[in-house]
Amino acid sequence: MEKQNKIHLKRTFVKSVNFEYKKDFTEGELDTSVNIKKECIFKEDKDKEYIILFKGSFKNEIFDLEIEFVAVFGTSEIIDESFKESIFVKSSSPAIAFPYLRSFISTLTLNAGLPPLILPAYNFTRESGEIDE
């Protein structure tokens, strides 16, 4: 019987953020373009850890926001090639990390004096590494 690799989310953090407030907001709904790319990163010196990196761009007539958001996952076993190609890494890990990015963006926009930008839930089982709206 094969031993199952236990995975856990170690931490999340914002690597970079650029927020530009372009003009005053009056009322109404903002039509925001959303582009988020995800990348799985494995570092050779970290054989029981991997990273999901989200790079997001959000633009509308009121603000432009660009962000790099990192989720660090730890494993109980050394990461091998089959694990790197697994559905857990490609779909489940981003799905676990995405709500943290989603929460940060809605809080940032709300605290900037704007209606919160609430990203919709996303199904990461699609093959593309991008989220566009």
Side-chain angles (χ1 to χ4, degrees):
M1 187 170 176
E2 188 175 323
K3 190 174 179 182
Q4 187 167 359
N5 197 347
K6 294 182 181 152
I7 296 104
H8 63 280
L9 178 60
K10 293 175 77 171
R11 67 187 180 117
T12 62
F13 63 92
V14 175
K15 183 176 178 184
S16 69
V17 65
N18 183 27
F19 182 85
E20 181 185 349
Y21 193 99
K22 297 189 291 192
K23 70 177 191 174
D24 285 343
F25 176 73
T26 51
E27 283 196 29
E29 197 167 308
L30 294 174
D31 184 24
T32 303
S33 71
V34 174
N35 181 279
I36 303 173
K37 295 179 177 158
K38 70 172 174 64
E39 183 180 348
C40 301
I41 300 169
F42 300 92
K43 296 184 176 181
E44 288 187 28
D45 62 333
K46 306 273 186 175
D47 60 359
K48 290 186 177 183
E49 190 176 279
Y50 64 99
I51 292 170
I52 302 296
L53 172 65
F54 293 102
K55 292 181 180 180
S57 174
F58 311 91
K59 297 180 185 293
N60 58 41
E61 64 273 13
I62 306 301
F63 68 87
D64 289 343
L65 169 63
E66 292 187 7
I67 187 169
E68 289 188 354
F69 189 87
V70 176
V72 180
F73 287 85
T75 65
S76 61
E77 302 292 320
I78 293 175
I79 295 171
D80 60 14
E81 288 303 315
S82 67
F83 180 81
K84 290 178 182 179
E85 296 300 319
S86 71
I87 195 78
F88 188 86
V89 170
K90 292 183 175 185
S91 298
S92 299
S93 296
I96 290 167
F98 188 72
Y100 295 92
L101 169 64
R102 187 173 184 245
S103 174
F104 179 83
I105 289 171
S106 63
T107 301
L108 174 71
T109 53
L110 179 66
N111 287 343
L114 301 168
L117 173 58
I118 301 173
L119 299 175
Y122 181 74
N123 181 353
F124 286 95
T125 57
R126 298 187 329 198
E127 284 300 310
S128 169
E130 296 186 30
I131 304 169
D132 291 313
E133 292 201 355

